[in-house]
Amino acid sequence: MVMLTLAVAASGCGHNEYDAAAEEDSWHVITITSPQDDGEKKLFIELPGDLEQSGGFEDDATVKDHDVYRHCGSRIMVAVHHGNMINPRNRVKFTVSRFMQDFDNMEIMQPVLKKEEKRIINGQEMTYMEISMKDKAGHPVIGECLGTYTGSGLWMVVFFYRPEVKEMRELKERAMASIRIE
């Protein structure tokens, strides 16, 4: 069995229900409801298990009320972030370091941006990044990340997995295609 060993900064890791991702009946739509300064928004994503609210991050110069919902299994880490822009007219730039906020000692993992592009997923324009890095044992890990804005809200959805694990790549593709925000 291939193990994904990443240094994750927050709790909510360690469950392995995603390892049975091939079981069709385990998939369901997860709804994350988040208040924004300009009204409530909901993100819907289809996954083969649950996400746990695992706290958030301290307010910074641009984002406040930053909540994180996460799953960390032995073969994939999925996280959904939501925050409110302190000044809705200012936007943060989606960067490798912003997408990798979940990890302690990010520089040890040697992240490298492989691809950056705009994508439209279910009518929502998003910034997509593919990040290559190494886990604590030196094995390759791929991060695929999406970021978007809804009014005063910031959303990020990140997937980190070992590239040789075909099932996790397929899980990521199906989950990414299911994302919608209302």
Side-chain angles (χ1 to χ4, degrees):
M1 174 189 260
V2 176
M3 295 294 287
L4 180 63
T5 310
L6 300 171
V8 179
S11 64
C13 294
H15 303 288
N16 293 315
E17 73 268 12
Y18 286 28
D19 291 344
E23 297 176 25
E24 189 62 33
D25 62 350
S26 67
W27 284 80
H28 60 280
V29 175
I30 295 170
T31 304
I32 297 173
T33 303
S34 287
Q36 294 185 185
D37 293 343
D38 58 348
E40 185 177 89
K41 296 290 183 185
K42 294 180 181 180
L43 179 135
F44 301 90
I45 185 170
E46 187 178 5
L47 291 168
D50 293 325
L51 296 173
E52 298 175 14
Q53 185 167 11
S54 55
F57 292 99
E58 301 253 340
D59 294 354
D60 63 26
T62 54
V63 181
K64 63 182 180 178
D65 307 323
H66 189 153
D67 292 321
V68 182
Y69 303 83
R70 181 181 292 115
H71 166 80
C72 295
S74 62
R75 302 189 302 168
I76 194 165
M77 191 278 284
V78 180
V80 176
H81 295 247
H82 178 268
N84 282 297
M85 301 303 301
I86 290 174
N87 181 346
R89 290 181 297 246
N90 294 338
R91 302 287 194 208
V92 297
K93 180 166 174 40
F94 293 110
T95 62
V96 170
S97 61
R98 186 158 293 272
F99 281 129
M100 291 188 64
Q101 301 184 126
D102 291 292
F103 302 103
D104 288 329
N105 302 316
M106 170 180 88
E107 60 282 348
I108 294 170
M109 298 172 161
Q110 305 168 353
V112 175
L113 177 62
K114 298 303 247 182
K115 183 188 294 186
E116 180 177 0
E117 62 190 25
K118 295 290 182 195
R119 289 193 176 176
I120 305 292
I121 298 178
N122 294 317
Q124 181 76 40
E125 182 178 295
M126 300 186 184
T127 298
Y128 167 86
M129 284 189 183
E130 180 180 325
I131 302 165
S132 162
M133 61 186 203
K134 304 220 181 272
D135 67 12
K136 290 192 311 187
H139 299 111
V141 174
I142 296 294
E144 294 192 56
C145 313
L146 294 168
T148 192
Y149 297 97
T150 54
S152 65
L154 163 86
W155 292 92
M156 297 187 310
V157 181
V158 298
F159 301 85
F160 287 91
Y161 60 93
R162 297 280 299 275
E164 70 273 10
V165 182
K166 178 183 173 205
E167 297 86 5
M168 296 302 107
R169 202 170 42 252
E170 291 170 351
L171 180 154
K172 178 271 311 170
E173 289 174 13
R174 178 174 173 177
M176 235 182 221
S178 75
I179 295 169
R180 73 180 200 283
I181 302 170
E182 297 176 356

